[in-house]
PDB file of all heavy atoms in Angstrom:
ATOM      1  N   VAL A 261     208.793 143.422  32.579  1.00 92.00           N
ATOM      2  CA  VAL A 261     209.437 144.743  32.596  1.00 92.00           C
ATOM      3  C   VAL A 261     210.079 145.008  33.944  1.00 92.00           C
ATOM      4  O   VAL A 261     211.235 145.433  34.044  1.00 92.00           O
ATOM      5  CB  VAL A 261     208.423 145.860  32.239  1.00 92.00           C
ATOM      6  CG1 VAL A 261     208.970 147.252  32.586  1.00 92.00           C
ATOM      7  CG2 VAL A 261     208.055 145.811  30.761  1.00 92.00           C
ATOM      8  N   ARG A 262     209.351 144.717  35.044  1.00 92.00           N
ATOM      9  CA  ARG A 262     209.891 144.942  36.376  1.00 92.00           C
ATOM     10  C   ARG A 262     211.076 143.998  36.679  1.00 92.00           C
ATOM     11  O   ARG A 262     212.066 144.413  37.265  1.00 92.00           O
ATOM     12  CB  ARG A 262     208.798 144.747  37.456  1.00 92.00           C
ATOM     13  CG  ARG A 262     209.299 145.037  38.853  1.00 92.00           C
ATOM     14  CD  ARG A 262     209.786 146.496  38.994  1.00 92.00           C
ATOM     15  NE  ARG A 262     210.405 146.722  40.266  1.00 92.00           N
ATOM     16  CZ  ARG A 262     211.704 146.889  40.458  1.00 92.00           C
ATOM     17  NH1 ARG A 262     212.549 146.846  39.440  1.00 92.00           N
ATOM     18  NH2 ARG A 262     212.189 147.093  41.647  1.00 92.00           N
ATOM     19  N   MET A 263     210.977 142.757  36.228  1.00 89.00           N
ATOM     20  CA  MET A 263     212.083 141.800  36.412  1.00 89.00           C
ATOM     21  C   MET A 263     213.329 142.268  35.653  1.00 89.00           C
ATOM     22  O   MET A 263     214.458 142.181  36.138  1.00 89.00           O
ATOM     23  CB  MET A 263     211.696 140.429  35.944  1.00 89.00           C
ATOM     24  CG  MET A 263     210.731 139.684  36.863  1.00 89.00           C
ATOM     25  SD  MET A 263     211.447 139.308  38.457  1.00 89.00           S
ATOM     26  CE  MET A 263     212.785 138.202  38.010  1.00 89.00           C
ATOM     27  N   ASP A 264     213.120 142.849  34.439  1.00 90.00           N
ATOM     28  CA  ASP A 264     214.265 143.326  33.693  1.00 90.00           C
ATOM     29  C   ASP A 264     214.877 144.550  34.356  1.00 90.00           C
ATOM     30  O   ASP A 264     216.098 144.730  34.319  1.00 90.00           O
ATOM     31  CB  ASP A 264     213.869 143.624  32.250  1.00 90.00           C
ATOM     32  CG  ASP A 264     215.076 143.831  31.380  1.00 90.00           C
ATOM     33  OD1 ASP A 264     216.002 142.968  31.409  1.00 90.00           O
ATOM     34  OD2 ASP A 264     215.132 144.852  30.657  1.00 90.00           O
ATOM     35  N   GLN A 265     214.045 145.401  34.981  1.00 91.00           N
ATOM     36  CA  GLN A 265     214.588 146.531  35.742  1.00 91.00           C
ATOM     37  C   GLN A 265     215.435 146.041  36.899  1.00 91.00           C
ATOM     38  O   GLN A 265     216.526 146.556  37.147  1.00 91.00           O
ATOM     39  CB  GLN A 265     213.437 147.421  36.277  1.00 91.00           C
ATOM     40  CG  GLN A 265     212.726 148.221  35.222  1.00 91.00           C
ATOM     41  CD  GLN A 265     211.478 148.899  35.795  1.00 91.00           C
ATOM     42  OE1 GLN A 265     211.002 148.575  36.892  1.00 91.00           O
ATOM     43  NE2 GLN A 265     210.908 149.818  35.011  1.00 91.00           N
ATOM     44  N   TRP A 266     214.942 145.012  37.614  1.00 89.00           N
ATOM     45  CA  TRP A 266     215.715 144.435  38.694  1.00 89.00           C
ATOM     46  C   TRP A 266     217.019 143.880  38.174  1.00 89.00           C
ATOM     47  O   TRP A 266     218.067 144.084  38.781  1.00 89.00           O
ATOM     48  CB  TRP A 266     214.942 143.317  39.433  1.00 89.00           C
ATOM     49  CG  TRP A 266     215.840 142.580  40.356  1.00 89.00           C
ATOM     50  CD1 TRP A 266     216.152 142.927  41.630  1.00 89.00           C
ATOM     51  CD2 TRP A 266     216.589 141.391  40.080  1.00 89.00           C
ATOM     52  NE1 TRP A 266     217.060 142.039  42.161  1.00 89.00           N
ATOM     53  CE2 TRP A 266     217.342 141.101  41.237  1.00 89.00           C
ATOM     54  CE3 TRP A 266     216.705 140.562  38.977  1.00 89.00           C
ATOM     55  CZ2 TRP A 266     218.199 139.988  41.314  1.00 89.00           C
ATOM     56  CZ3 TRP A 266     217.556 139.470  39.041  1.00 89.00           C
ATOM     57  CH2 TRP A 266     218.288 139.195  40.190  1.00 89.00           C
ATOM     58  N   ARG A 267     216.973 143.128  37.074  1.00 87.00           N
ATOM     59  CA  ARG A 267     218.189 142.586  36.510  1.00 87.00           C
ATOM     60  C   ARG A 267     219.214 143.654  36.161  1.00 87.00           C
ATOM     61  O   ARG A 267     220.387 143.529  36.509  1.00 87.00           O
ATOM     62  CB  ARG A 267     217.836 141.799  35.212  1.00 87.00           C
ATOM     63  CG  ARG A 267     219.030 141.096  34.578  1.00 87.00           C
ATOM     64  CD  ARG A 267     218.877 140.974  33.067  1.00 87.00           C
ATOM     65  NE  ARG A 267     218.558 142.206  32.390  1.00 87.00           N
ATOM     66  CZ  ARG A 267     219.458 143.185  32.093  1.00 87.00           C
ATOM     67  NH1 ARG A 267     220.702 143.079  32.471  1.00 87.00           N
ATOM     68  NH2 ARG A 267     219.078 144.242  31.452  1.00 87.00           N
ATOM     69  N   ALA A 268     218.782 144.710  35.544  1.00 89.00           N
ATOM     70  CA  ALA A 268     219.704 145.814  35.197  1.00 89.00           C
ATOM     71  C   ALA A 268     220.263 146.478  36.475  1.00 89.00           C
ATOM     72  O   ALA A 268     221.460 146.777  36.549  1.00 89.00           O
ATOM     73  CB  ALA A 268     218.980 146.860  34.347  1.00 89.00           C
ATOM     74  N   ASP A 269     219.389 146.685  37.484  1.00 89.00           N
ATOM     75  CA  ASP A 269     219.856 147.263  38.749  1.00 89.00           C
ATOM     76  C   ASP A 269     220.851 146.343  39.442  1.00 89.00           C
ATOM     77  O   ASP A 269     221.878 146.781  39.989  1.00 89.00           O
ATOM     78  CB  ASP A 269     218.671 147.535  39.694  1.00 89.00           C
ATOM     79  CG  ASP A 269     217.777 148.646  39.197  1.00 89.00           C
ATOM     80  OD1 ASP A 269     218.187 149.401  38.290  1.00 89.00           O
ATOM     81  OD2 ASP A 269     216.645 148.744  39.727  1.00 89.00           O
ATOM     82  N   ALA A 270     220.568 145.037  39.437  1.00 86.00           N
ATOM     83  CA  ALA A 270     221.450 144.061  40.084  1.00 86.00           C
ATOM     84  C   ALA A 270     222.804 144.019  39.376  1.00 86.00           C
ATOM     85  O   ALA A 270     223.853 143.972  40.027  1.00 86.00           O
ATOM     86  CB  ALA A 270     220.811 142.694  40.062  1.00 86.00           C
ATOM     87  N   GLN A 271     222.796 144.085  38.062  1.00 86.00           N
ATOM     88  CA  GLN A 271     224.038 144.076  37.314  1.00 86.00           C
ATOM     89  C   GLN A 271     224.831 145.317  37.605  1.00 86.00           C
ATOM     90  O   GLN A 271     226.052 145.278  37.812  1.00 86.00           O
ATOM     91  CB  GLN A 271     223.763 143.906  35.830  1.00 86.00           C
ATOM     92  CG  GLN A 271     225.056 143.710  35.043  1.00 86.00           C
ATOM     93  CD  GLN A 271     224.791 143.317  33.596  1.00 86.00           C
ATOM     94  OE1 GLN A 271     223.738 143.633  33.038  1.00 86.00           O
ATOM     95  NE2 GLN A 271     225.733 142.656  32.999  1.00 86.00           N
ATOM     96  N   ALA A 272     224.182 146.483  37.653  1.00 88.00           N
ATOM     97  CA  ALA A 272     224.834 147.742  37.959  1.00 88.00           C
ATOM     98  C   ALA A 272     225.418 147.719  39.368  1.00 88.00           C
ATOM     99  O   ALA A 272     226.552 148.153  39.582  1.00 88.00           O
ATOM    100  CB  ALA A 272     223.865 148.918  37.798  1.00 88.00           C
ATOM    101  N   THR A 273     224.681 147.212  40.334  1.00 86.00           N
ATOM    102  CA  THR A 273     225.175 147.094  41.712  1.00 86.00           C
ATOM    103  C   THR A 273     226.395 146.188  41.747  1.00 86.00           C
ATOM    104  O   THR A 273     227.414 146.517  42.367  1.00 86.00           O
ATOM    105  CB  THR A 273     224.084 146.557  42.638  1.00 86.00           C
ATOM    106  OG1 THR A 273     223.018 147.490  42.649  1.00 86.00           O
ATOM    107  CG2 THR A 273     224.608 146.347  44.045  1.00 86.00           C
ATOM    108  N   CYS A 274     226.302 145.065  41.072  1.00 84.00           N
ATOM    109  CA  CYS A 274     227.407 144.125  41.018  1.00 84.00           C
ATOM    110  C   CYS A 274     228.653 144.785  40.403  1.00 84.00           C
ATOM    111  O   CYS A 274     229.781 144.692  40.922  1.00 84.00           O
ATOM    112  CB  CYS A 274     227.025 142.877  40.258  1.00 84.00           C
ATOM    113  SG  CYS A 274     228.286 141.585  40.244  1.00 84.00           S
ATOM    114  N   ASN A 275     228.476 145.463  39.255  1.00 84.00           N
ATOM    115  CA  ASN A 275     229.583 146.095  38.585  1.00 84.00           C
ATOM    116  C   ASN A 275     230.216 147.205  39.406  1.00 84.00           C
ATOM    117  O   ASN A 275     231.411 147.454  39.288  1.00 84.00           O
ATOM    118  CB  ASN A 275     229.145 146.646  37.226  1.00 84.00           C
ATOM    119  CG  ASN A 275     228.957 145.555  36.192  1.00 84.00           C
ATOM    120  OD1 ASN A 275     229.647 144.540  36.204  1.00 84.00           O
ATOM    121  ND2 ASN A 275     228.001 145.753  35.311  1.00 84.00           N
ATOM    122  N   SER A 276     229.437 147.854  40.247  1.00 86.00           N
ATOM    123  CA  SER A 276     229.973 148.968  41.037  1.00 86.00           C
ATOM    124  C   SER A 276     230.532 148.506  42.380  1.00 86.00           C
ATOM    125  O   SER A 276     231.087 149.305  43.140  1.00 86.00           O
ATOM    126  CB  SER A 276     228.931 150.032  41.281  1.00 86.00           C
ATOM    127  OG  SER A 276     227.874 149.546  42.097  1.00 86.00           O
ATOM    128  N   THR A 277     230.392 147.231  42.685  1.00 82.00           N
ATOM    129  CA  THR A 277     230.887 146.681  43.948  1.00 82.00           C
ATOM    130  C   THR A 277     232.359 146.306  43.829  1.00 82.00           C
ATOM    131  O   THR A 277     232.737 145.641  42.900  1.00 82.00           O
ATOM    132  CB  THR A 277     230.075 145.443  44.379  1.00 82.00           C
ATOM    133  OG1 THR A 277     228.702 145.830  44.566  1.00 82.00           O
ATOM    134  CG2 THR A 277     230.602 144.846  45.697  1.00 82.00           C
ATOM    135  N   GLU A 278     233.134 146.747  44.778  1.00 79.00           N
ATOM    136  CA  GLU A 278     234.541 146.346  44.849  1.00 79.00           C
ATOM    137  C   GLU A 278     234.608 145.030  45.646  1.00 79.00           C
ATOM    138  O   GLU A 278     234.097 144.978  46.769  1.00 79.00           O
ATOM    139  CB  GLU A 278     235.380 147.421  45.562  1.00 79.00           C
ATOM    140  CG  GLU A 278     235.435 148.725  44.791  1.00 79.00           C
ATOM    141  CD  GLU A 278     236.207 148.615  43.491  1.00 79.00           C
ATOM    142  OE1 GLU A 278     237.164 147.790  43.432  1.00 79.00           O
ATOM    143  OE2 GLU A 278     235.860 149.320  42.526  1.00 79.00           O
ATOM    144  N   PHE A 279     235.194 144.016  45.073  1.00 72.00           N
ATOM    145  CA  PHE A 279     235.312 142.756  45.750  1.00 72.00           C
ATOM    146  C   PHE A 279     236.725 142.516  46.276  1.00 72.00           C
ATOM    147  O   PHE A 279     237.200 141.391  46.340  1.00 72.00           O
ATOM    148  CB  PHE A 279     234.911 141.603  44.797  1.00 72.00           C
ATOM    149  CG  PHE A 279     233.458 141.653  44.461  1.00 72.00           C
ATOM    150  CD1 PHE A 279     233.018 142.151  43.224  1.00 72.00           C
ATOM    151  CD2 PHE A 279     232.492 141.177  45.341  1.00 72.00           C
ATOM    152  CE1 PHE A 279     231.679 142.160  42.902  1.00 72.00           C
ATOM    153  CE2 PHE A 279     231.141 141.198  45.023  1.00 72.00           C
ATOM    154  CZ  PHE A 279     230.750 141.694  43.794  1.00 72.00           C
ATOM    155  N   HIS A 280     237.409 143.607  46.649  1.00 76.00           N
ATOM    156  CA  HIS A 280     238.796 143.482  47.098  1.00 76.00           C
ATOM    157  C   HIS A 280     238.917 143.165  48.561  1.00 76.00           C
ATOM    158  O   HIS A 280     239.965 142.704  48.996  1.00 76.00           O
ATOM    159  CB  HIS A 280     239.556 144.796  46.781  1.00 76.00           C
ATOM    160  CG  HIS A 280     239.540 145.137  45.334  1.00 76.00           C
ATOM    161  ND1 HIS A 280     240.198 144.353  44.400  1.00 76.00           N
ATOM    162  CD2 HIS A 280     238.973 146.145  44.642  1.00 76.00           C
ATOM    163  CE1 HIS A 280     240.020 144.870  43.204  1.00 76.00           C
ATOM    164  NE2 HIS A 280     239.254 145.979  43.324  1.00 76.00           N
ATOM    165  N   ASP A 281     237.868 143.410  49.322  1.00 79.00           N
ATOM    166  CA  ASP A 281     237.915 143.002  50.715  1.00 79.00           C
ATOM    167  C   ASP A 281     236.529 142.526  51.155  1.00 79.00           C
ATOM    168  O   ASP A 281     235.557 142.717  50.451  1.00 79.00           O
ATOM    169  CB  ASP A 281     238.391 144.160  51.620  1.00 79.00           C
ATOM    170  CG  ASP A 281     237.512 145.412  51.524  1.00 79.00           C
ATOM    171  OD1 ASP A 281     236.306 145.289  51.732  1.00 79.00           O
ATOM    172  OD2 ASP A 281     238.047 146.484  51.240  1.00 79.00           O
ATOM    173  N   VAL A 282     236.477 141.900  52.311  1.00 84.00           N
ATOM    174  CA  VAL A 282     235.226 141.280  52.778  1.00 84.00           C
ATOM    175  C   VAL A 282     234.156 142.321  52.990  1.00 84.00           C
ATOM    176  O   VAL A 282     232.999 142.140  52.595  1.00 84.00           O
ATOM    177  CB  VAL A 282     235.495 140.487  54.082  1.00 84.00           C
ATOM    178  CG1 VAL A 282     234.195 140.009  54.694  1.00 84.00           C
ATOM    179  CG2 VAL A 282     236.443 139.316  53.812  1.00 84.00           C
ATOM    180  N   ASP A 283     234.479 143.440  53.599  1.00 84.00           N
ATOM    181  CA  ASP A 283     233.455 144.427  53.921  1.00 84.00           C
ATOM    182  C   ASP A 283     232.795 145.022  52.688  1.00 84.00           C
ATOM    183  O   ASP A 283     231.579 145.119  52.607  1.00 84.00           O
ATOM    184  CB  ASP A 283     234.071 145.578  54.763  1.00 84.00           C
ATOM    185  CG  ASP A 283     232.982 146.501  55.316  1.00 84.00           C
ATOM    186  OD1 ASP A 283     232.072 146.002  55.988  1.00 84.00           O
ATOM    187  OD2 ASP A 283     233.057 147.693  55.000  1.00 84.00           O
ATOM    188  N   SER A 284     233.589 145.385  51.672  1.00 83.00           N
ATOM    189  CA  SER A 284     232.985 145.949  50.467  1.00 83.00           C
ATOM    190  C   SER A 284     232.167 144.897  49.718  1.00 83.00           C
ATOM    191  O   SER A 284     231.113 145.194  49.193  1.00 83.00           O
ATOM    192  CB  SER A 284     234.047 146.569  49.549  1.00 83.00           C
ATOM    193  OG  SER A 284     234.970 145.596  49.159  1.00 83.00           O
ATOM    194  N   GLY A 285     232.631 143.656  49.712  1.00 81.00           N
ATOM    195  CA  GLY A 285     231.872 142.565  49.071  1.00 81.00           C
ATOM    196  C   GLY A 285     230.562 142.344  49.794  1.00 81.00           C
ATOM    197  O   GLY A 285     229.520 142.171  49.140  1.00 81.00           O
ATOM    198  N   LEU A 286     230.576 142.355  51.114  1.00 85.00           N
ATOM    199  CA  LEU A 286     229.327 142.191  51.888  1.00 85.00           C
ATOM    200  C   LEU A 286     228.367 143.360  51.676  1.00 85.00           C
ATOM    201  O   LEU A 286     227.151 143.177  51.647  1.00 85.00           O
ATOM    202  CB  LEU A 286     229.664 141.982  53.356  1.00 85.00           C
ATOM    203  CG  LEU A 286     230.259 140.628  53.715  1.00 85.00           C
ATOM    204  CD1 LEU A 286     230.705 140.595  55.167  1.00 85.00           C
ATOM    205  CD2 LEU A 286     229.305 139.502  53.426  1.00 85.00           C
ATOM    206  N   LEU A 287     228.923 144.570  51.591  1.00 87.00           N
ATOM    207  CA  LEU A 287     228.096 145.735  51.324  1.00 87.00           C
ATOM    208  C   LEU A 287     227.387 145.596  49.986  1.00 87.00           C
ATOM    209  O   LEU A 287     226.177 145.870  49.883  1.00 87.00           O
ATOM    210  CB  LEU A 287     228.912 147.008  51.367  1.00 87.00           C
ATOM    211  CG  LEU A 287     228.163 148.316  51.079  1.00 87.00           C
ATOM    212  CD1 LEU A 287     227.063 148.542  52.120  1.00 87.00           C
ATOM    213  CD2 LEU A 287     229.114 149.510  51.027  1.00 87.00           C
ATOM    214  N   GLY A 288     228.130 145.165  48.967  1.00 84.00           N
ATOM    215  CA  GLY A 288     227.500 144.922  47.654  1.00 84.00           C
ATOM    216  C   GLY A 288     226.411 143.872  47.732  1.00 84.00           C
ATOM    217  O   GLY A 288     225.316 144.045  47.162  1.00 84.00           O
TER     218      GLY A 288
END
Side-chain angles (χ1 to χ4, degrees):
V261 166
R262 183 60 187 107
M263 286 294 297
D264 193 50
Q265 288 171 347
W266 169 84
R267 182 209 52 77
D269 292 345
Q271 188 170 25
T273 297
C274 184
N275 284 327
S276 67
T277 298
E278 295 292 328
F279 293 101
H280 300 295
D281 59 55
V282 172
D283 189 56
S284 61
L286 288 173
L287 179 61

